[in-house]
């Protein structure tokens, strides 16, 4: 009986092992079936007779292409969009392609000023021709170009050409759920790795081009883990720049003319050093924004999923205080003590001309008003809460390191960043920086309405 019972146990164990093996093989097959391998999407560079990108899937292999139709005016230049791609180790996938792209942007700069706009995509995206972020960024560049033409009309920057640079990395590593969502931890680490290594090289080379002309501009943007990528690349440079204050009492924008992060997926603790430096500084009227972080109230990915993932990742980490632990778990945009502004919907959208938006921005920057009405939305300063002197409270109004809470009607979720209300606000926000024309008292009055 004992031997018979032992045989039955062995057979049962064998069947169980077989079933587990089958399950494991099915899981492996499922993962592999959905796995998105690393590859270089953009391999061809034409420095003239550009491929014209009009819709998703166009110009699938082009390292640099034109966005939209060629301008009818001989003095206008086409909007261009280039790509730089990175592997999971943060290495450039093709260093020579990056060099050739930078050389071409530098050649454009020899002939005319350039407005360079960089975008780092987020989780579950890449540089594939059918990726929705590729199309959305191309459309955004078209809006930027139109607004910049309005800004520069009859001024020194009127010949400025818009060149977009799309930073591609393997944010999408699996297409099958739940494995697609379970890539959270691995993709977060890869984004930080790309930011630490390859992206820094690219951004500093573009910053060098920016510095060759006063009319040149560099705008750096990132979404989700792409926001983490950008911030990881630039945060040490941003902290360094707080030590360099110009003769006018303003912090110089050395890294870029503006850094914009939308629904960024990094912890508030990463912002602590920069926030601490800023809180001890005196900012003067007219200080331009340096870093603007926009996070939607409806972004459940960074509001709930991100802290859940961070809680697990930091389970055995040392924290000096409960508040430090909270900062290390919560995403930057949802950490209330760091919030400086609110982007709100307007009951009655404004329909004024671009010049009016720009002059209203000047009034806002100089402290005439604490709210900038722009189209269907308004950017409002959050009242400073401090026991310090009134002088320091006044200084806080001009803090160039902005953490903006966005009402859910403007950005309805983590990935819904390309909707009309927010994208229209964003291209205007970018374009009005350094508006060259004078504005009168009537413009200031309009800003206060």
């Amino acid at each position: 009986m004992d031997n018979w019972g032992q045989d039955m146990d062995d057979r049962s164990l064998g069947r169980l092992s077989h079933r587990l093996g089958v399950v494991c093989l099915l899981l492996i097959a499922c993962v592999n079936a959905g796995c998105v391998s690393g590859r270089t999407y953009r391999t061809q560079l034409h420095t003239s007779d550009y491929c014209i990108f009009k819709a998703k899937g166009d110009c699938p292999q082009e390292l640099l292409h034109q966005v939209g139709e060629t301008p009818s005016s001989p003095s206008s230049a086409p909007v261009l969009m280039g790509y730089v791609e990175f592997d999971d180790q943060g290495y450039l996938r093709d260093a020579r392609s990056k060099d050739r792209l930078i050389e071409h942007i530098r050649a454009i700069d020899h002939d005319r000023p350039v407005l360079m706009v960089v975008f780092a995509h987020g989780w579950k995206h890449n540089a594939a021709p059918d990726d929705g972020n590729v199309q959305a960024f191309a459309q955004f560049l078209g809006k930027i170009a139109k607004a910049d033409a309005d800004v520069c009309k009859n001024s020194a920057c009127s010949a400025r050409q818009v060149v977009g640079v799309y930073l591609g990395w393997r944010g999408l590593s699996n297409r099958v759920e739940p494995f697609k969502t379970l890539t959270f931890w691995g993709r977060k680490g890869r984004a930080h790795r790309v930011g630490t290594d390859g992206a820094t090289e690219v951004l500093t080379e573009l910053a060098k081009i920016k510095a060759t002309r006063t009319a040149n501009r560099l705008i750096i943007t990132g979404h989700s883990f792409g926001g983490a990528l950008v911030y990881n690349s630039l945060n040490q440079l941003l902290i360094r720049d707080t030590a360099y204050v110009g003769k006018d009492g303003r912090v110089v924008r050395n890294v870029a003319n503006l850094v914009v992060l939308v629904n960024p997926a990094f912890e508030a603790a990463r912002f602590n050093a920069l926030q601490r430096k800023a809180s001890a500084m005196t900012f003067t009227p007219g200080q331009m924004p340096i870093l603007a972080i926009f996070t939607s109230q409806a972004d459940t990915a960074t509001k709930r999923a991100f802290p859940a993932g961070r809680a697990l990742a930091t389970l055995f980490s040392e924290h000096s205080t409960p508040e430090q632990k909270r900062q290390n778990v919560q995403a930057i945009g949802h950490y209330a003590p760091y919030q400086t502004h609110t982007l709100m919907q307007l009951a009655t959208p404004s329909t004024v001309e671009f010049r009016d938006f720009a002059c209203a921005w000047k009034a806002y920057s100089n402290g005439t008003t604490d709210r900038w009405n722009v189209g269907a939305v308004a950017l409002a300063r959050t009242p400073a809460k401090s026991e310090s002197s009134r002088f320091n409270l006044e200084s806080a109004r001009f803090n160039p390191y902005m953490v903006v809470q966005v009402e859910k009607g403007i950005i309805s979720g983590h990935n819904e960043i390309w909707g009309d209300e927010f994208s229209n606000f964003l291209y205007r926000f970018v374009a009005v920086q350094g508006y060259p024309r004078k504005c009168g008292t009537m413009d200031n009055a309009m800003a206060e309405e």
Side-chain angles (χ1 to χ4, degrees):
M1 287 291 293
D2 290 344
N3 289 339
W4 182 81
Q6 182 66 46
D7 290 341
M8 287 293 291
D9 288 343
D10 289 344
R11 285 196 294 272
S12 297
L13 183 61
R15 285 195 295 270
L16 179 62
S17 298
H18 174 73
R19 290 170 182 169
L20 286 174
V22 171
V23 170
C24 288
L25 287 172
L26 287 173
L27 287 173
I28 291 170
C30 184
V31 171
N32 286 337
C35 183
V36 179
S37 61
R39 56 166 289 191
T40 306
Y41 292 96
R42 310 289 173 166
T43 57
Q44 299 178 359
L45 177 64
H46 297 96
T47 57
S48 62
D49 192 23
Y50 303 110
C51 176
I52 299 178
F53 182 98
K54 294 182 180 179
K56 187 193 300 186
D58 288 350
C59 310
Q61 294 182 305
E62 296 299 315
L63 190 65
L64 180 70
H65 59 67
Q66 181 176 319
V67 174
E69 297 292 347
T70 302
S72 56
S73 171
S75 62
S76 300
V79 178
L80 300 179
M81 178 171 164
Y83 300 79
V84 179
E85 299 182 63
F86 306 92
D87 66 18
D88 273 3
Q89 306 310 313
Y91 286 34
L92 291 159
R93 287 200 176 275
D94 186 342
R96 179 56 188 150
S97 290
K98 184 273 299 180
D99 290 341
R100 292 169 68 202
L101 178 64
I102 296 295
E103 286 167 9
H104 187 61
I105 297 174
R106 193 175 290 121
I108 294 172
D109 174 52
H110 281 300
D111 295 332
R112 60 174 67 229
V114 288
L115 167 55
M116 298 166 286
V117 184
V118 180
F119 175 70
H121 65 78
W123 188 25
K124 303 179 183 179
H125 291 277
N126 53 31
D130 61 348
D131 192 285
N133 275 192
V134 170
Q135 181 182 27
F137 181 55
Q139 293 171 341
F140 181 70
L141 290 175
K143 290 183 176 182
I144 285 284
K146 185 178 184 303
D148 195 58
D150 289 338
V151 166
C152 292
K153 192 178 298 181
N154 301 321
S155 69
C157 61
S158 59
R160 191 153 61 193
Q161 183 167 3
V162 173
V163 181
V165 178
Y166 186 98
L167 302 185
W169 59 288
R170 200 163 70 107
L172 177 67
S173 60
N174 201 290
R175 299 183 188 276
V176 177
E177 293 291 7
F179 308 106
K180 186 177 182 180
T181 298
L182 291 175
T183 62
F184 172 91
W185 291 276
R187 292 306 88 197
K188 182 179 187 297
R190 291 308 92 191
H192 283 280
R193 185 63 175 266
V194 172
T196 300
D197 296 333
T200 301
E201 175 185 345
V202 175
L203 296 179
T204 51
E205 290 181 4
L206 294 175
K208 186 175 180 180
I209 296 174
K210 173 186 83 78
T212 61
R213 292 174 184 255
T214 56
N216 283 353
R217 295 288 183 269
L218 173 61
I219 310 297
I220 303 173
T221 65
H223 168 243
S224 184
F225 284 152
L229 184 161
V230 168
Y231 188 74
N232 205 53
S233 179
L234 300 179
N235 70 328
Q236 296 299 316
L237 299 175
L238 292 169
I239 293 170
R240 180 206 63 185
D241 284 352
T242 61
Y244 297 93
V245 178
K247 294 180 180 179
D248 56 1
R250 300 172 189 171
V251 180
V252 179
R253 303 195 291 187
N254 288 318
V255 172
N257 295 95
L258 184 64
V259 179
V260 177
L261 309 180
V262 186
N263 289 341
F266 66 88
E267 51 274 23
R270 301 294 312 282
F271 189 68
N272 177 266
L274 186 58
Q275 192 276 339
R276 184 166 44 81
K277 290 287 289 182
S279 65
M281 298 177 70
T282 298
F283 300 109
T284 59
Q287 169 72 59
M288 290 291 100
I290 294 173
L291 169 68
I293 298 173
F294 296 91
T295 301
S296 172
Q297 296 171 335
D299 181 8
T300 55
T302 57
K303 190 174 185 177
R304 296 191 177 90
F306 182 88
R310 287 297 298 161
L312 183 62
T314 61
L315 192 60
F316 301 106
S317 298
E318 177 189 1
H319 296 98
S320 301
T321 64
E323 193 61 26
Q324 186 187 72
K325 182 176 182 179
R326 183 182 167 208
Q327 292 178 2
N328 203 18
V329 169
Q330 284 195 329
I332 173 64
H334 298 289
Y335 185 66
Y338 287 169
Q339 291 172 356
T340 62
H341 295 72
T342 299
L343 188 64
M344 62 182 69
Q345 288 181 295
L346 293 175
T348 306
S350 173
T351 56
V352 294
E353 297 295 322
F354 188 85
R355 181 183 184 280
D356 299 317
F357 291 137
C359 288
W361 170 258
K362 276 195 170 185
Y364 177 83
S365 299
N366 290 323
T368 303
T369 175
D370 283 325
R371 197 173 84 169
W372 179 43
N373 291 358
V374 51
V377 303
L379 180 67
R381 293 185 175 100
T382 302
K385 297 178 181 179
S386 173
E387 297 178 357
S388 57
S389 69
R390 181 174 178 176
F391 179 80
N392 287 331
L393 286 174
E394 180 70 11
S395 167
R397 300 173 71 209
F398 306 107
N399 185 349
Y401 308 103
M402 304 166 59
V403 180
V404 185
Q405 184 182 62
V406 182
E407 290 186 348
K408 61 182 66 177
I410 301 172
I411 301 178
S412 60
H414 182 67
N415 291 311
E416 284 69 39
I417 65 171
W418 304 106
D420 287 343
E421 283 197 356
F422 185 70
S423 62
N424 287 343
F425 162 80
L426 189 57
Y427 83 75
R428 290 163 178 159
F429 179 64
V430 169
V432 297
Q433 307 292 323
Y435 184 65
R437 294 182 179 82
K438 292 183 178 181
C439 298
T441 54
M442 289 297 293
D443 301 302
N444 290 345
M446 183 178 297
E448 294 176 322
E449 291 179 356

